[in-house]
């Protein structure tokens, strides 16, 4: 498994040299501003196949894209930065305008999209609006290692948070996340996170998910989450 990761890394670095315009890793110590210097980088949809995707991930992606054809499922695009409207929803609620956060926030990006292709979080989420559920296909790269050869539990928790959040829609915050880690996830493997909205109670959304191997034989984790719709009348700072 580690050998295949190393091979993957080698091909990723080789690709890196070849691909024009690929955003650079923040660890390259480039000024952060450079990451957002072009509209192209800001608006690139990252939830699409790239050369680091394994055969399993590409196969599952193709299967779900077929399900999208009749409109029952949709692929959710994913950007490094939130849309202006979404950002405004959250900043109005959480940030004190007196603190002058604009400059710092102009450099902010979703941390799951901050890695170069294949090294961190490779994922795509498909949503079934009628059934109020999502399926997240996730390949955790070599920079997400915890115990040698295994995915870090915090990386799994991050993906679970994002997968559950994708079932909600609108401006919500995670209030509670409860995860049972049942089996360790091999680094660089593909897992499938099935999430659903179980109950809506006022501003409270109760969600649950499970994380399984591609062949569905291994149950890696189960989780529940409570998300709260932000109340525009309240300031939380
Ligand atoms: C697609 C991309 C998805 C990305 C997902 C990423 C999401 C995140 O990482 S969010 C970051 C982590 N989360 C946070 O920082 C949240 C910090 N917490 C907060 O800001 C606030 O507590 C917040 C917004 C969750 C709730 O505050 P507020 O709006 O004032 O709600 P509040 O009035 O206290 O509670 C509303 C209801 O929720 C309940 N509730 C709130 N928190 C909890 C909790 N932890 N457990 C159980 N119930 C809770 C309250 O009891 C209340 O219930 P009821 O209406 O029945 O009386």
């Amino acid at each position: 498994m580690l050998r295949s990761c190393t091979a993957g890394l080698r091909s990723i670095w080789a690709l890196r040299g070849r691909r024009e315009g690929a955003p650079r890793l923040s660890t390259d110590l480039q000024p952060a501003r450079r990451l957002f210097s072009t509209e192209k980088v800001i608006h690139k949809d990252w939830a699409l196949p790239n050369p680091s995707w394994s055969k399993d991930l590409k196969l599952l992606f193709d299967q779900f894209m077929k399900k999208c054809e009749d409109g029952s499922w949709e692929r959710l695009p994913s950007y490094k930065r939130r849309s202006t409207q979404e950002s405004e929803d959250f900043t109005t609620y959480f940030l004190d305008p007196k603190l002058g956060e604009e400059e710092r926030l102009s450099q902010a990006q979703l941390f799951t999209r901050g890695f170069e292709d294949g090294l961190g979080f490779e994922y795509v989420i498909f949503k079934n609006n009628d059934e109020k559920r999502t399926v997240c296909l996730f390949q955790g790269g070599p920079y997400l290692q915890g115990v040698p050869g295994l995915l870090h539990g915090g990386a799994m928790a991050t993906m679970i948070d994002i997968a559950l959040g994708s079932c909600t829609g609108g401006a919500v915050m995670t209030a509670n996340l409860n995860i049972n880690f049942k089996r360790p996830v091999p680094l660089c493997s593909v897992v499938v996170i099935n999430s659903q909205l179980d109950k809506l109670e006022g501003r409270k959304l109760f969600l649950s998910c499970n994380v399984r191997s591609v062949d569905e034989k291994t149950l890696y984790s189960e989780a529940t989450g409570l998300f709260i719709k932000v109340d525009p009348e309240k300031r939380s700072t």
Side-chain angles (χ1 to χ4, degrees):
M1 179 176 57
L2 281 174
R3 218 175 295 133
S4 77
C5 252
T6 317
L9 261 177
R10 249 185 260 123
S11 63
I12 289 160
W13 292 121
L15 281 165
R16 181 185 170 198
R18 283 203 300 268
R19 285 172 58 235
E20 275 179 33
R24 304 189 64 166
L25 255 189
S26 46
T27 49
D28 282 348
L29 300 177
Q30 293 292 313
R33 197 172 290 112
R34 170 121 183 233
L35 290 169
F36 306 114
S37 59
T38 68
E39 290 291 297
K40 195 172 152 202
V41 172
I42 292 171
H43 295 297
K44 178 177 167 182
D45 180 358
W46 294 85
L48 287 168
N50 68 52
S52 77
W53 282 27
S54 66
K55 204 171 140 198
D56 280 345
L57 187 53
K58 276 185 264 180
L59 266 173
L60 280 168
F61 177 83
D62 290 343
Q63 284 170 16
F64 273 93
M65 287 306 283
K66 280 237 164 317
K67 291 188 188 195
C68 292
E69 284 170 9
D70 66 5
S72 54
W73 288 82
E74 63 170 319
R75 182 187 67 84
L76 302 183
S78 171
Y79 306 101
K80 280 183 189 282
R81 306 183 72 191
R82 287 182 177 271
S83 72
T84 313
Q85 180 55 56
E86 277 180 314
S87 300
E88 274 172 16
D89 289 347
F90 283 102
T91 49
T92 310
Y93 183 76
F94 289 104
L95 301 180
D96 186 341
K98 280 181 264 159
L99 296 177
E101 303 270 29
E102 288 83 1
E103 177 149 5
R104 196 161 57 86
L105 287 179
S106 72
Q107 298 175 352
Q109 61 174 317
L110 190 64
F111 88 90
T112 50
R113 294 301 185 189
F115 295 83
E116 219 166 309
D117 287 355
L119 296 179
F121 298 86
E122 291 295 336
Y123 63 97
V124 54
I125 298 174
F126 293 90
K127 186 169 191 178
N128 186 315
N129 283 306
D130 289 345
E131 294 174 13
K132 295 183 172 41
R133 67 189 183 101
T134 61
V135 173
C136 172
L137 314 174
F138 168 46
Q139 175 183 297
Y143 280 18
L144 304 185
Q145 177 171 259
V147 171
L150 301 174
L151 185 76
H152 194 288
M156 195 67 251
T158 296
M159 279 316 301
I160 286 174
D161 192 20
I162 287 183
L164 290 175
S166 68
C167 273
T168 60
V172 295
M173 291 290 281
T174 316
N176 180 273
L177 206 52
N178 198 316
I179 303 174
N180 289 315
F181 295 100
K182 292 177 169 289
R183 291 280 178 276
V185 176
L187 203 60
C188 304
S189 68
V190 177
V191 299
V192 179
I193 308 173
N194 274 286
S195 310
Q196 63 187 45
L197 174 65
D198 295 325
K199 195 171 56 165
L200 180 63
E201 233 180 63
R203 290 195 294 128
K204 296 188 285 189
L205 297 103
F206 296 85
L207 299 120
S208 61
C209 75
N210 60 62
V211 184
R212 289 181 186 274
S213 55
V214 171
D215 64 9
E216 296 185 4
K217 287 186 182 152
T218 308
L219 174 62
Y220 291 119
S221 303
E222 286 176 316
T224 57
L226 170 65
F227 285 66
I228 312 280
K229 284 187 194 166
V230 298
D231 181 346
E233 299 301 310
K234 284 187 181 178
R235 278 203 76 89
S236 93
T237 50

